[in-house]
Amino acid sequence: MNATISASQLVTELADANPPVLLDVRWQLSTAKAAGAPPFDGRAEYAAGHLPGAVFVDLDRELASAPGGGGRHPLPDLAVFGAAMRRAGVSSGRPVVVYDGGQGWAAARAWWLLRWTGHPNVRVLDGGLPAWEAPLSTDVPAPTEGDFTPEPGAAGLLDADGAAALARSGVLLDARAGERYRGEVEPIDPVGGHIPGAVSAPTTDNVAPDGRFLPAEELRARFKTLGATEDDQVGVYCGSGVSGAHEVLALAVAGIPAALYVGSWSEWSSDPGRPVAVGPDPQ
């Protein structure tokens, strides 16, 4: 099962007898509010134009719980998540395609959650909205209620202790920008640095300038240089479990299964008892 779909292939599938459900998850990590500027409004962006038939999904309210001890984007309440998916028309027997404004992080978060909770056929539109060349719509669809019931899997999810252990026994990738990994800057969380043993692997290096993923063979080569292959136990974390999901998606494109530490650095750094490494060396 492919983890991504091209815009041209999506056009073809939307004309099929069983077209995919479309989810619009436009979202951006923004520090503008602290500077007095209005935060990014994904719902307003959706209202201004979206793929025909797509339903808006709110990452902060439906793909995550409220910020707290579990990080800035902890796992959502499964009842809330399931209701949001059914409202959008998601059923287990119908494919799902998720997209966002082009960065891919928010779409990957929805992809990861659906996969982790048992949906058998979900893909991300490679390149997001900018890759779509057909007309957009401002009509708000009213899809038939879906039947999807989230059933979390036993694998694919790490907690703080699991991430720490994997950094010693396997490969733990840090998907944040290199300067945050090294502890040179930290614009959001209370402490800069990384989980001891984690390897710096910025998720931005997994995509081309147009936002599309690099070819699978190039991704496999990149991850191999970082110590991650299909024969290794691999985990990923980021700031709050969003860009990390995008790295898990890139690993899936490369054919490498990986788990996600959803609490990520926002959870790890909130506990002063957890160790912090700084600088370019993993340890």
Side-chain angles (χ1 to χ4, degrees):
M1 175 61 62
N2 292 330
T4 63
I5 183 172
S6 68
S8 59
Q9 182 61 34
L10 179 56
V11 169
T12 299
E13 292 194 14
L14 288 173
D16 289 346
N18 186 37
V21 173
L22 294 178
L23 305 182
D24 182 312
V25 197
R26 271 180 274 183
W27 170 91
Q28 286 182 12
L29 176 63
S30 176
T31 57
K33 189 174 182 181
F40 176 83
D41 188 342
R43 193 176 295 276
E45 295 288 326
Y46 168 84
H50 51 265
L51 269 61
V55 175
F56 180 73
V57 176
D58 190 316
L59 185 148
D60 290 316
R61 293 176 175 82
E62 296 171 323
L63 303 183
S65 296
R72 282 183 279 107
H73 290 102
L75 287 173
D77 179 282
L78 289 180
V80 172
F81 173 65
M85 294 299 99
R86 290 188 293 274
R87 171 187 60 81
V90 174
S91 294
S92 295
R94 188 174 172 190
V96 176
V97 171
V98 192
Y99 72 92
D100 59 23
Q103 188 179 45
W105 295 3
R109 171 75 175 218
W111 167 85
W112 181 85
L113 277 169
L114 281 165
R115 295 289 291 166
W116 178 64
T117 55
H119 197 286
N121 189 346
V122 54
R123 290 162 292 171
V124 169
L125 175 60
D126 197 12
L129 188 66
W132 182 258
E133 297 181 351
L136 299 178
S137 172
T138 56
D139 295 335
V140 178
T144 301
E145 182 90 358
D147 63 14
F148 178 68
T149 300
E151 296 181 0
L157 177 67
L158 294 171
D159 60 11
D161 290 340
L166 189 60
R168 296 188 299 269
S169 64
V171 181
L172 182 65
L173 301 177
D174 184 319
R176 298 172 301 156
E179 58 268 25
R180 292 184 69 191
Y181 169 89
R182 295 186 296 271
E184 296 166 358
V185 298
E186 183 43 65
I188 305 169
D189 295 312
V191 178
H194 58 270
I195 296 173
V199 177
S200 180
T203 197
T204 50
D205 291 348
N206 296 323
V207 296
D210 63 2
R212 292 178 173 88
F213 281 107
L214 298 174
E217 60 271 19
E218 291 185 29
L219 289 172
R220 280 192 293 272
R222 181 197 181 215
F223 289 124
K224 185 176 181 179
T225 65
L226 298 171
T229 72
E230 61 270 20
D231 298 322
D232 299 299
Q233 284 191 306
V234 181
V236 181
Y237 75 97
C238 58
S240 65
V242 180
S243 67
H246 190 260
E247 185 122 294
V248 172
L249 176 58
L251 285 154
V253 172
I256 303 171
L260 177 65
Y261 173 24
V262 172
S264 285
W265 190 249
S266 59
E267 178 188 40
W268 184 276
S269 63
S270 69
D271 183 348
R274 294 194 182 105
V276 171
V278 295
D281 190 297
Q283 301 300 332

